[in-house]
Amino acid sequence: AASSSSSSSRSNNNAPTTTTGDRQQHSYYETIDGVRYKREILELCRNAMKEGNHRISKTFAETELWPKIADGDIITDTERKTLVFAIEHFHFTPPAKTLLTEKIKTWENNRHHHNK
């Protein structure tokens, strides 16, 4: 009887409800409960939670997070869904939540004006 269960039990410790996509461990997207989100944004939020006393500040939201979402003045549906998911599942300070909610509303209003 060989004992091969030493260190092979730590395959995916991150989050049991997430999958990383087709092949790669670190793909562009992260799927959570069947919905595809932008991995980079989620990881920014996770790191900010670790470093920011388990909260995401307005400064971080404005200088780090929003520029990743609105890169090139284009917000994809996946980026928008990711932001909404992040606001619902990570602890943002009230000013950070207000800032991001207002930025999304402003962006959506501008987009509707351009599409007429």
Side-chain angles (χ1 to χ4, degrees):
S3 65
S4 63
S5 64
S6 57
S7 67
S8 63
S9 63
R10 54 150 87 182
S11 57
N12 188 358
N13 255 355
N14 285 352
T17 57
T18 65
T19 57
T20 55
D22 299 329
R23 304 175 296 281
Q24 295 176 297
Q25 182 71 17
H26 295 289
S27 69
Y28 187 75
Y29 298 107
E30 180 173 333
T31 303
I32 301 172
D33 295 332
V35 181
R36 198 165 71 161
Y37 300 105
K38 190 172 175 184
R39 172 181 302 282
E40 180 182 24
I41 294 168
L42 294 178
E43 297 205 345
L44 267 175
C45 291
R46 288 181 185 123
N47 291 334
M49 292 282 291
K50 288 178 196 168
E51 297 168 8
N53 203 15
H54 302 289
R55 299 182 318 165
I56 299 173
S57 70
K58 179 181 177 186
T59 301
F60 181 86
E62 192 167 26
T63 61
E64 301 289 328
L65 192 57
W66 183 253
K68 294 290 183 194
I69 294 165
D71 51 349
D73 280 339
I74 296 171
I75 302 173
T76 65
D77 287 339
T78 300
E79 288 168 332
R80 187 188 180 289
K81 278 191 291 189
T82 304
L83 180 59
V84 170
F85 176 86
I87 290 171
E88 291 172 355
H89 290 87
F90 294 102
H91 187 119
F92 285 81
T93 64
K97 193 179 285 193
T98 300
L99 172 91
L100 292 172
T101 303
E102 288 175 358
K103 282 187 172 287
I104 280 286
K105 284 180 187 169
T106 301
W107 180 83
E108 287 176 342
N109 288 338
N110 290 340
R111 185 176 76 163
H112 290 303
H113 290 305
H114 290 297
N115 289 340
K116 287 189 174 180

